[in-house]
Amino acid sequence: EKAYEGSATAKVPADFLRAIEDNPEASKTYKTLGSQSLFHIYYQLQDAKLPETRSKRIKKFVDQLASGSKPN
């Protein structure tokens, strides 16, 4: 059994999507992301061991997307 899904089946977590919906600029950039960037976000959020780490990463990605920058 895998610890996380592969890039073909990975789904971005609902709590991250809610945070994106609350920020129109982040949402705009999010809609332009390719599968590689989406998987990067998914993996970083799934890999967080603590809830605090996950929250920090969500904030980091939302801020990054709101500024028009794409995760690599």
Side-chain angles (χ1 to χ4, degrees), residues 24-48:
E25 289 302 314
S27 180
K28 183 177 167 183
T29 305
Y30 177 78
K31 291 175 184 175
T32 69
L33 297 180
S35 60
Q36 189 173 19
S37 293
L38 292 173
F39 184 73
H40 176 73
I41 292 170
Y42 162 80
Y43 181 80
Q44 291 295 314
L45 296 179
Q46 292 302 110
D47 190 51

Side-chain angles (χ1 to χ4, degrees), residues 8-71:
T9 57
K11 292 186 177 62
V12 176
D15 56 344
F16 175 74
L17 293 176
R18 282 190 300 273
I20 290 295
E21 289 171 4
D22 290 342
N23 187 313
E25 289 302 314
S27 180
K28 183 177 167 183
T29 305
Y30 177 78
K31 291 175 184 175
T32 69
L33 297 180
S35 60
Q36 189 173 19
S37 293
L38 292 173
F39 184 73
H40 176 73
I41 292 170
Y42 162 80
Y43 181 80
Q44 291 295 314
L45 296 179
Q46 292 302 110
D47 190 51
K49 304 285 188 259
L50 300 171
E52 296 82 14
T53 304
R54 183 181 175 99
S55 294
K56 286 179 186 177
R57 289 181 184 176
I58 288 173
K59 181 179 178 349
K60 178 188 84 168
F61 284 127
V62 170
D63 291 346
Q64 188 176 28
L65 292 169
S67 73
S69 181
K70 297 179 181 182

